[in-house]
């Protein structure tokens, strides 16, 4: 397995991301493609094609705001995508999604983490996405492609149980009245002195690991989607 990512602007969060995977001995392939999103995605696809010559499986993890908290494996017979609470960027497509087989708040595709078979990833891109325009959103194109592929019976799924991927935005689900919030995620995660500290309701911290209270899983990769602060994670 190989871990793939793109880092266009190195900083403390990208350093934390890389170190979190390397400490478990994972081989990494790091691109340095710059925006727009279409360019980054197309470069990642070329990376997957090269990686497929020497690897059977892969994982993509967002280079700017993800963190690996435990070792993991990915399936070799299918693709699996991260999930999030919001149907972004198209709320009207929410009813097009399959009904989750378990009780979960994380039911919509998030493009900040995915993995599985490299051969299937290349097939998925060639059949359902193609080469993107420079002004592509990427989340939109992947969401639409997933919904079509799922209807076609393509071996692709969402991580409803957050076993592998865990987005952490919108925790709590709604901001407290009168409280300053991050408009994207509602999540601040600081104590009264401004020191990073988990302050949500979705997770518990057990032996230095983030555990999902609803699904009971200990996810492998945490993702601060929606500009959710990650500093509290680094201090665990």
């Amino acid at each position: 397995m190989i871990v793939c990512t793109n880092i266009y602007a190195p900083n403390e969060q990208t350093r934390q991301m890389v170190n979190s995977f390397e400490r478990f001995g994972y081989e990494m392939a790091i691109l340095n493609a710059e925006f727009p999103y279409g360019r980054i995605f197309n470069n990642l696809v070329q990376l997957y094609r090269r990686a497929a010559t020497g690897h059977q499986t892969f994982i993509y993890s967002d280079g700017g705001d993800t963190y690996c908290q435990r070792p993991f494996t990915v399936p070799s017979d299918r693709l699996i995508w991260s999930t999030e609470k919001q149907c972004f960027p198209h709320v009207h497509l929410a009813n097009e999604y399959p009904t989750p087989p378990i009780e979960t708040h994380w039911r919509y595709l998030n493009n900040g983490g995915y993995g599985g078979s490299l051969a299937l990833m290349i097939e998925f891109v060639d059949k359902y996405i193609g080469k993107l325009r420079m002004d592509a959103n990427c989340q939109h194109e992947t969401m639409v492609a997933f919904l079509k592929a799922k209807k076609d019976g393509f071996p692709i799924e969402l991580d409803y149980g957050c076993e592998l991927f865990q987005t952490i935005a919108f925790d709590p689900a709604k901001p407290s009245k009168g409280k300053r919030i991050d408009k994207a995620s509602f999540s601040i995660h600081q104590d009264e002195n401004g020191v990073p500290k988990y302050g949500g309701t979705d997770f518990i911290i057990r032996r230095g690991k983030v555990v999902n209270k609803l699904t009971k899983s200990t996810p492998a990769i945490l993702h601060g989607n929606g500009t959710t602060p990650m500093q509290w994670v680094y201090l665990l």
Side-chain angles (χ1 to χ4, degrees):
M1 186 192 74
I2 188 168
V3 177
C4 302
T5 193
N6 182 73
I7 295 176
Y8 58 88
N11 54 41
E12 175 61 17
Q13 293 203 166
T14 62
R15 185 185 70 80
Q16 290 280 358
M17 180 271 182
V18 171
N19 288 348
S20 74
F21 284 96
E22 289 186 338
R23 63 179 172 155
F24 295 119
Y26 293 120
E27 179 183 354
M28 299 195 68
I30 302 174
L31 287 179
N32 301 113
E34 297 182 351
F35 285 113
Y37 284 116
R39 176 185 292 121
I40 293 174
F41 179 85
N42 292 336
N43 275 272
L44 281 169
V45 172
Q46 293 306 310
L47 175 61
Y48 302 151
R49 295 185 192 280
R50 295 192 299 271
T53 63
H55 300 82
Q56 183 181 11
T57 58
F58 82 109
I59 198 164
Y60 167 79
S61 192
D62 192 299
D65 53 7
T66 59
Y67 187 85
C68 181
Q69 68 168 357
R70 66 165 176 83
F72 62 91
T73 58
V74 294
S76 60
D77 60 348
R78 60 192 185 279
L79 296 174
I80 185 167
W81 248 262
S82 175
T83 51
E84 64 173 287
K85 292 181 176 181
Q86 302 293 313
C87 187
F88 174 83
H90 301 303
V91 177
H92 68 278
L93 291 179
N95 291 333
E96 299 294 320
Y97 274 81
T99 300
I102 62 171
E103 182 182 2
T104 182
H105 300 314
W106 297 267
R107 56 182 300 167
Y108 306 110
L109 180 143
N110 175 276
N111 211 31
Y114 52 87
S117 163
L118 273 163
L120 286 173
M121 181 64 192
I122 293 168
E123 181 182 350
F124 172 68
V125 171
D126 288 345
K127 186 174 182 179
Y128 295 102
I129 299 179
K131 186 175 182 179
L132 293 186
R133 295 172 39 171
M134 292 298 99
D135 61 352
N137 172 272
C138 289
Q139 174 84 7
H140 157 76
E141 289 80 7
T142 307
M143 174 189 288
V144 172
F146 165 78
L147 293 172
K148 178 65 167 63
K150 195 66 178 175
K151 290 179 180 178
D152 289 349
F154 192 86
I156 189 170
E157 63 186 37
L158 297 180
D159 187 8
Y160 293 116
C162 303
E163 297 286 345
L164 184 56
F165 304 105
Q166 179 69 70
T167 56
I168 63 174
F170 302 100
D171 175 25
K174 295 182 180 180
S176 300
K177 184 176 181 180
K179 183 177 180 181
R180 183 184 68 85
I181 63 171
D182 180 305
K183 292 182 179 179
S185 70
F186 304 155
S187 308
I188 294 298
H189 302 310
Q190 294 180 351
D191 65 15
E192 60 275 9
N193 297 315
V195 177
K197 180 181 179 181
Y198 178 63
T201 57
D202 285 338
F203 313 111
I204 58 173
I205 310 303
R206 181 181 298 151
R207 298 178 182 176
K209 300 289 190 299
V210 175
V211 178
N212 188 307
K213 292 168 63 175
L214 178 61
T215 67
K216 312 302 183 185
S217 64
T218 302
I221 302 169
L222 308 174
H223 178 200
N225 58 315
T227 69
T228 303
M230 291 284 288
Q231 286 72 20
W232 65 274
V233 173
Y234 308 147
L235 297 178
L236 295 179

